[in-house]
Amino acid sequence: MQNGLYIVATPIGNLGDLSPRAKETLANAEVIACEDTRITKKLFALLNISTTGKKFIVYQNYNEEDEAQNIINLAINDKKSIALVSDAGSPLISDPGYKLIRRAREQNVPVTVLPGCCALICALQLSGLPTNRFLFAGFIPNKDKARADTLNEVRDTKATIVFYETAQRIVKTLTAAAKIFGNREMAVAREISKVYEECVNGTAAKLIEYFSSKEPKGEMVLMIAPADEKDFSTLDIENLMRQKMAEMPLKSAVKEMVAVYGLNKNEMYELALKLKNE
């Protein structure tokens, strides 16, 4: 097996989803860079892949800067073959890894990707929401203000919005989403590729009702339908800005105009300054 870095997607539930090529790579790689050695070694045991002679390296957000070069040195100096895996699914998707890949490419270390499971893509396929354009926004923050700020930030996105969320927080997140997205269609997919796989569609209110009556379990993917196209061509932007500035501070008025009408932030700021100086 050629020395270099191999990005290997692992199953998110069903072991049968691991490709023969990925299994062969994991079996032959000399070094395994992973988030949690216990989880990865358990996967190897389930796949009947021997760990004898393999070096396992913990590679997480907290040590990404330090370990990236150490891993690359193993490929360059020791001519090792290294498999990068996450606990489940495709590495780098809301998991550490991009800094390692960037450095590897800069230092001419061969990088190979082995396609496979990704909860983000599988959830979109299940949802029935538009898939021609989507925004993956990662994990939703735990703090109330940060959660609301994150949801507000993507409110007017003209694409399906995708978040990862935990079962323990899904109702709280849906409650916040109801205030921001109103009756817009949403979908929650969970337990993808497992026995109890499901995808539930509805408004935030309907999803709250569903998960309040049925205890949510498993890793979850929350998807929100795209914002409706709005026609603001006939609006009197200048007059609207004057009204906003009479109700709130200048910066808040600009932020409101950008959020509600999808206008350019710099242009709105210039207009606000002009109106203020009149």
Side-chain angles (χ1 to χ4, degrees), residues 136-147:
F136 176 55
F139 284 94
I140 295 177
N142 186 30
K143 301 289 186 180
D144 291 343
K145 184 180 185 305
R147 180 189 296 109

Side-chain angles (χ1 to χ4, degrees), residues 2-6 75 79-83 109-112:
Q2 181 186 1
N3 68 298
L5 186 60
Y6 296 81
K79 306 300 180 185
K80 297 292 187 182
S81 54
I82 302 147
V109 173
V111 178
T112 303

Side-chain angles (χ1 to χ4, degrees), residues 132-240:
N132 57 316
R133 296 180 68 195
F134 63 88
L135 169 68
F136 176 55
F139 284 94
I140 295 177
N142 186 30
K143 301 289 186 180
D144 291 343
K145 184 180 185 305
R147 180 189 296 109
D149 288 345
T150 297
L151 295 175
N152 267 309
E153 184 180 339
V154 299
R155 180 180 63 180
D156 295 317
T157 301
K158 305 300 189 297
T160 298
I161 308 159
V162 187
F163 290 103
Y164 284 165
E165 185 55 290
T166 64
Q168 292 78 13
R169 298 203 303 252
I170 189 65
V171 171
K172 183 178 285 188
T173 291
L174 287 168
T175 301
K179 299 175 182 177
I180 295 167
F181 297 97
N183 290 324
R184 198 184 306 183
E185 184 182 2
M186 301 181 188
V188 174
R190 68 177 198 91
E191 297 288 84
I192 297 172
S193 83
K194 300 177 185 177
V195 174
Y196 298 105
E197 173 185 284
E198 72 172 347
C199 185
V200 188
N201 288 54
T203 63
K206 289 182 179 178
L207 292 174
I208 291 169
E209 182 180 358
Y210 179 83
F211 287 113
S212 295
S213 62
K214 178 181 179 180
E215 182 185 1
K217 294 181 180 180
E219 298 300 317
M220 297 193 161
V221 183
L222 169 63
M223 294 155 284
I224 304 168
D228 292 333
E229 293 292 339
K230 301 174 184 177
D231 181 11
F232 298 126
S233 58
T234 60
L235 285 179
D236 185 344
I237 300 300
E238 193 168 304
N239 189 46
L240 281 170

Side-chain angles (χ1 to χ4, degrees), residues 18 22-23 26-28 43-51 54:
L18 185 75
K23 184 174 181 179
L26 293 177
N28 293 326
L43 174 64
F44 274 54
L46 292 170
L47 295 170
N48 294 316
I49 299 176
S50 173
T51 59
K54 293 187 185 296

Side-chain angles (χ1 to χ4, degrees), residues 21-37:
R21 180 177 171 224
K23 184 174 181 179
E24 181 182 5
T25 299
L26 293 177
N28 293 326
E30 299 161 291
V31 179
I32 310 295
C34 56
E35 293 181 88
D36 189 321
T37 58

